[in-house]
Amino acid sequence: KKATFMEAYEAINEQFETIFSRLSDGSGTLFLENEEDPFDGGLTMKAQPGDKPVQRLAAMSGGEKSLTALAFVFAIQRYNPAPFYALDEVDAFLDAANADAVGELIDELAGKAQFIVVSHRSALLERSERAIGVTMHQDNVSAVTGIDLSEESPPEVPAND
Amino acid sequence: KKATFMEAYEAINEQFETIFSRLSDGSGTLFLENEEDPFDGGLTMKAQPGDKPVQRLAAMSGGEKSLTALAFVFAIQRYNPAPFYALDEVDAFLDAANADAVGELIDELAGKAQFIVVSHRSALLERSERAIGVTMHQDNVSAVTGIDLSEESPPEVPAND
Amino acid sequence: MHIKELVLDDFKSFGRKTRIPFYEDFTTISGPNGSGKSNIIDSVLFALGLARTSGIRAEKLTDLIYNPDDTDATHTGEREASVEVVFDNNDGTIDRSQVINAAGTDSIGETDEITVKRRVKETADNYYSYYYLNGRSVNLSDIKDLLAQVGVTPEGYNVVMQGDVTEIINMSAGNRRRIIDEIA
Amino acid sequence: MHIKELVLDDFKSFGRKTRIPFYEDFTTISGPNGSGKSNIIDSVLFALGLARTSGIRAEKLTDLIYNPDDTDATHTGEREASVEVVFDNNDGTIDRSQVINAAGTDSIGETDEITVKRRVKETADNYYSYYYLNGRSVNLSDIKDLLAQVGVTPEGYNVVMQGDVTEIINMSAGNRRRIIDEIA
Ligand SMILES: Nc1ncnc2c1ncn2[C@@H]1O[C@H](COP(=O)(O)OP(=O)(O)OP(=O)(O)O)[C@@H](O)[C@H]1O
Ligand SMILES: Nc1ncnc2c1ncn2[C@@H]1O[C@H](COP(=O)(O)OP(=O)(O)OP(=O)(O)O)[C@@H](O)[C@H]1O
Ligand SMILES: [Mg+2]
Ligand SMILES: [Mg+2]
């Protein structure tokens, strides 16, 4: 029913607005195409990065869309907090500055929940306390090496970038 | 009709096999789901990276799929050669080694055709003879700076990675 | 509470029993394309029943069993894959009664450590799925219900798969709204 | 033959007339998210009529005209965007007769340089699209036919847009086969 939906929607939107302004130097919000009857329309995002005019998701650049969708995912996660989260290459289309902002946010969120993040980007790899390296051995078997970065040993895992 | 299709298909597949083995240390081929009646089935790719068992596109890793789809695009381009090609961030999911292999191939193909490539990755940015930097100015207007790298001046454009 | 260890045995590309330790803060996983990073993420989805419709990139469950040769080869005899997720529950995020409730018995050992294990076994003509909570045999729904009580659910995007972000961008506005329908 | 210069005037985020020189080999374009890189790629698609169905990220043609404020604001008076693609044709890849044929006249100047220009103009109640080949007014089909003769076509993936590779991966096998149907 509409009430249950709107309750979740408002709460998630609140998280989205906070997270989005934290990640970009602008403001963003969720947007229901039909506010009267949400189930009769869809959901999109509107954002105003910096001091640009408001744009809907579809009009944004590749990296801006990525950042916006990621903020949406983080907002969903925060609506019903859990002890751990895993992210698989969510930073593929972000430039260095945006990847950095995401890395910083995850670092902070990792204070309260466990984050396991797959990435090729140095912006994220350099921030973690632990780095797990995965390689495929000759016999087509994956192998794992773990490195504790909190003791400040140089990571053996070459950052992709 | 089938004959016209098969002629294009065989030619593109030939290009695909060459390009794929050049980009990965394995072999790959296009695959028609219904060889008797191509229009009754779809098209996918099968590849054997290195000495792994043959896998269809759907079973590959994110980066392997990206490399395979990119090889398909290059094969289509080579079927009907043109004076220029433009690529917008085709390297997002590739690791450093694969991004390097793609950069090397483009460098070689650029001997015969003009390549204009949008990228954040140093593997590609370092190989070009010219680098164009794009920024958004305060008044929401894009501006462009061009740098000639063939005279070996250090690029002012910071590589994203 | 946090995941302290994953044990993958013949799961996808992990053809040898592999223990992967995790710590309670920020861990990154990196490596070349095709090395097995997403497979580690898949193992968590598999063991905790978190796969959404777009699921764990496997046409059938038995595709998740380590297969070193041609994937279409017929297998004779039994093959089996298992994943074990070991949670450090020293902070009592999940309390003992919840585990007893989910396991249907109170012989579950100490709950400062909570272990969820899933096995898939393929025989010549059939396949079987087994679930265990602290060693006791349970149903998938017992595990999902227990985890839902600490906010770990398939629709909650606890695990964001490679391509999920792109999928959210490309999906219709209606489907995007349905993401919230599911959570509400 | 190669593109030697692009001239963008009020096209998308290029609110000032901008000349972008290109060279005949390998040029890279880089910069922060949202700076305008894909817009440069879009300008080539726009001017040369190369947009495929997934097109140039614009709901209507007039969205391509530089707009510094709220995109829903009503515009009074005329607004106009133009893109000019200047080809260096010193190697005679396209010969003079092909250009005369496409332009429908032989007063096309020298063809060691071939210029394709497209303008979109919006007035209070309507919008107009204009195409020029070496300064002569032509139809979009004249330009597309001329370019097709040197292998530049919408279905040939001469221009690979951001997300095209992902789209090829995610599309059904049937749609992937249709890519070849279109080329054949
Ligand atoms: N059942 C199986 N048996 C053996 N190997 C498998 C099985 N299932 C998948 N694989 C292998 O696992 C590899 C994919 O691993 P994965 O998707 O984890 O890579 P990745 O490290 O995430 O790469 P990327 O950086 O490209 O995303 C495939 O190349 C495939 O060969
Ligand atoms: N008609 C227009 N008028 C003004 N600005 C526009 C117009 N159309 C698009 N833009 C702006 O152009 C920007 C997008 O540029 P573009 O897509 O080229 O970025 P990009 O450099 O490719 O970024 P990314 O690295 O994220 O892909 C948007 O932020 C939008 O504000
Ligand atoms: Mg992966
Ligand atoms: Mg872009």
Side-chain angles (χ1 to χ4, degrees):
Chain A
K1 44 201 267 314
K2 180 177 170 185
T4 331
F5 173 88
M6 287 310 289
E7 186 183 351
Y9 173 79
E10 300 291 353
I12 291 172
N13 188 30
E14 196 174 332
Q15 293 288 354
F16 177 81
E17 293 181 0
T18 312
I19 292 165
F20 188 90
S21 65
R22 163 78 194 258
L23 286 179
S24 76
D25 57 9
S27 61
T29 180
L30 299 181
F31 177 77
L32 285 170
E33 291 176 334
N34 187 337
E35 294 210 12
E36 300 307 310
D37 179 8
F39 302 110
D40 180 54
L43 166 75
T44 187
M45 297 82 162
K46 279 186 167 179
Q48 204 165 358
D51 53 351
K52 284 188 189 179
V54 173
Q55 296 179 76
R56 282 202 198 189
L57 184 71
M60 296 181 192
S61 79
E64 291 171 339
K65 283 176 178 172
S66 230
L67 199 68
T68 305
L70 191 49
F72 181 53
V73 167
F74 283 139
I76 290 168
Q77 291 177 345
R78 308 253 296 183
Y79 171 67
N80 187 8
F84 77 90
Y85 298 101
L87 311 175
D88 193 348
E89 289 196 42
V90 296
D91 49 24
F93 285 100
L94 303 180
D95 62 24
N98 281 329
D100 230 31
V102 170
E104 221 179 73
L105 177 61
I106 291 174
D107 211 358
E108 180 174 317
L109 296 175
K112 298 228 189 74
Q114 176 187 36
F115 269 85
I116 297 167
V117 179
V118 177
S119 177
H120 293 289
R121 312 289 297 279
S122 50
L124 269 76
L125 300 181
E126 284 164 11
R127 285 207 157 79
S128 59
E129 281 98 0
R130 324 288 170 163
I132 290 171
V134 189
T135 49
M136 186 63 92
H137 281 185
Q138 285 293 56
D139 50 357
N140 293 334
V141 170
S142 289
V144 161
T145 55
I147 300 130
D148 190 329
L149 295 176
S150 52
E151 265 85 272
E152 316 222 10
S153 58
E156 291 173 31
V157 190
N160 180 22
D161 58 343
Chain B
K1 44 200 267 307
K2 180 180 168 185
T4 331
F5 174 89
M6 286 311 289
E7 186 182 351
Y9 173 80
E10 300 291 354
I12 291 172
N13 188 31
E14 195 172 333
Q15 294 288 352
F16 178 82
E17 293 181 1
T18 311
I19 292 165
F20 189 90
S21 64
R22 163 79 194 258
L23 286 179
S24 75
D25 56 9
S27 61
T29 181
L30 299 181
F31 177 76
L32 286 170
E33 292 177 333
N34 187 337
E35 294 211 12
E36 300 307 309
D37 179 8
F39 302 109
D40 180 53
L43 166 75
T44 186
M45 297 82 163
K46 279 186 167 177
Q48 201 165 358
D51 52 352
K52 285 189 191 177
V54 173
Q55 296 180 75
R56 283 202 196 191
L57 183 71
M60 296 178 191
S61 78
E64 289 169 340
K65 283 177 179 170
S66 229
L67 199 69
T68 303
L70 191 50
F72 181 52
V73 168
F74 282 139
I76 290 169
Q77 292 177 346
R78 309 254 294 183
Y79 170 67
N80 188 8
F84 76 89
Y85 298 101
L87 311 175
D88 193 348
E89 290 196 42
V90 296
D91 49 24
F93 285 100
L94 303 179
D95 62 26
N98 280 330
D100 230 31
V102 169
E104 221 178 72
L105 176 62
I106 291 174
D107 212 359
E108 180 173 315
L109 296 176
K112 296 227 190 76
Q114 175 186 36
F115 270 85
I116 297 167
V117 179
V118 176
S119 177
H120 294 290
R121 312 289 297 278
S122 49
L124 269 76
L125 299 182
E126 284 165 13
R127 284 207 158 78
S128 59
E129 280 96 4
R130 324 286 171 163
I132 290 172
V134 189
T135 49
M136 186 64 92
H137 282 186
Q138 286 293 56
D139 52 357
N140 293 332
V141 171
S142 289
V144 161
T145 56
I147 301 128
D148 190 330
L149 295 175
S150 53
E151 264 87 273
E152 317 221 9
S153 57
E156 291 173 31
V157 188
N160 179 21
D161 58 345
Chain C
M1 178 164 121
H2 62 272
I3 296 173
K4 80 185 207 190
E5 186 179 59
L6 287 183
V7 187
L8 278 58
D9 197 350
D10 268 359
F11 181 81
K12 299 194 79 178
S13 59
F14 286 83
R16 278 190 281 278
K17 183 165 180 171
T18 309
R19 293 181 176 277
I20 308 175
F22 288 92
Y23 301 88
E24 60 185 316
D25 36 41
F26 182 2
T27 305
T28 51
I29 299 175
S30 60
N33 290 141
S35 56
K37 308 180 295 295
S38 296
N39 289 345
I40 294 173
I41 301 297
D42 287 343
S43 73
V44 174
L45 291 168
F46 168 77
L48 306 185
L50 292 179
R52 291 189 303 278
T53 345
S54 42
I56 307 175
R57 304 176 292 152
E59 286 194 17
K60 40 199 201 306
L61 225 46
T62 48
D63 284 350
L64 297 177
I65 306 172
Y66 173 67
N67 182 4
D69 355 281
D70 195 308
T71 41
D72 295 342
T74 42
H75 304 279
T76 54
E78 285 186 3
R79 306 194 303 137
E80 172 173 331
S82 75
V83 173
E84 197 171 352
V85 180
V86 183
F87 291 98
D88 175 326
N89 186 42
N90 275 308
D91 59 11
T93 304
I94 290 181
D95 71 48
R96 189 178 177 75
S97 60
Q98 287 172 294
V99 185
I100 290 172
N101 190 18
T105 161
D106 56 14
S107 60
I108 45 159
E110 291 307 313
T111 57
D112 55 344
E113 189 170 281
I114 294 177
T115 303
V116 175
K117 181 173 181 169
R118 182 175 180 181
R119 280 170 62 212
V120 134
K121 179 161 94 173
E122 180 183 58
T123 61
D125 53 358
N126 211 348
Y127 74 89
Y128 306 86
S129 220
Y130 306 95
Y131 304 88
Y132 306 91
L133 176 59
N134 275 26
R136 316 305 313 185
S137 186
V138 295
N139 296 321
L140 177 58
S141 52
D142 297 323
I143 289 172
K144 290 177 77 161
D145 292 346
L146 181 65
L147 291 170
Q149 292 166 38
V150 286
V152 179
T153 62
E155 62 277 3
Y157 279 97
N158 296 92
V159 179
V160 183
M161 296 168 65
Q162 194 167 1
D164 273 353
V165 172
T166 304
E167 187 180 48
I168 288 173
I169 292 166
N170 292 339
M171 64 173 58
S172 70
N175 282 335
R176 210 176 292 127
R177 198 213 65 239
R178 259 161 232 127
I179 292 175
I180 302 204
D181 297 353
E182 303 263 305
I183 302 167
Chain D
M1 177 166 122
H2 62 272
I3 295 173
K4 80 185 207 189
E5 184 178 61
L6 287 183
V7 187
L8 278 59
D9 197 350
D10 269 0
F11 181 81
K12 300 195 78 180
S13 59
F14 287 83
R16 279 190 279 278
K17 184 167 181 171
T18 309
R19 292 181 176 278
I20 308 175
F22 287 92
Y23 301 89
E24 60 184 318
D25 36 39
F26 183 0
T27 304
T28 50
I29 299 176
S30 57
N33 290 141
S35 55
K37 308 180 294 296
S38 296
N39 290 345
I40 294 172
I41 301 297
D42 287 343
S43 73
V44 175
L45 291 168
F46 167 77
L48 306 184
L50 293 179
R52 291 190 301 280
T53 344
S54 41
I56 307 177
R57 302 177 294 151
E59 286 191 17
K60 39 201 201 312
L61 225 46
T62 48
D63 285 349
L64 298 176
I65 304 173
Y66 173 67
N67 182 4
D69 356 280
D70 195 307
T71 41
D72 293 343
T74 43
H75 304 280
T76 55
E78 286 187 2
R79 307 193 301 137
E80 173 172 331
S82 75
V83 174
E84 196 171 353
V85 182
V86 184
F87 290 97
D88 176 323
N89 187 41
N90 274 308
D91 60 10
T93 303
I94 289 182
D95 70 51
R96 189 177 178 75
S97 61
Q98 288 172 293
V99 184
I100 289 171
N101 191 17
T105 162
D106 54 13
S107 62
I108 45 159
E110 292 306 315
T111 58
D112 55 342
E113 189 170 283
I114 295 177
T115 303
V116 176
K117 179 172 181 169
R118 181 175 180 183
R119 280 170 64 212
V120 134
K121 178 159 95 174
E122 181 184 58
T123 61
D125 53 359
N126 211 347
Y127 74 90
Y128 306 87
S129 222
Y130 305 95
Y131 304 88
Y132 306 91
L133 175 59
N134 274 27
R136 317 303 314 182
S137 187
V138 295
N139 296 320
L140 177 57
S141 51
D142 298 321
I143 289 171
K144 290 177 77 160
D145 292 346
L146 181 65
L147 291 171
Q149 290 165 37
V150 286
V152 178
T153 63
E155 61 276 2
Y157 278 98
N158 296 91
V159 178
V160 184
M161 296 168 63
Q162 194 166 0
D164 273 352
V165 172
T166 304
E167 187 179 48
I168 288 174
I169 292 166
N170 292 338
M171 64 172 60
S172 69
N175 282 334
R176 209 176 292 127
R177 197 215 66 240
R178 261 162 230 125
I179 293 176
I180 302 204
D181 297 352
E182 303 263 305
I183 302 167

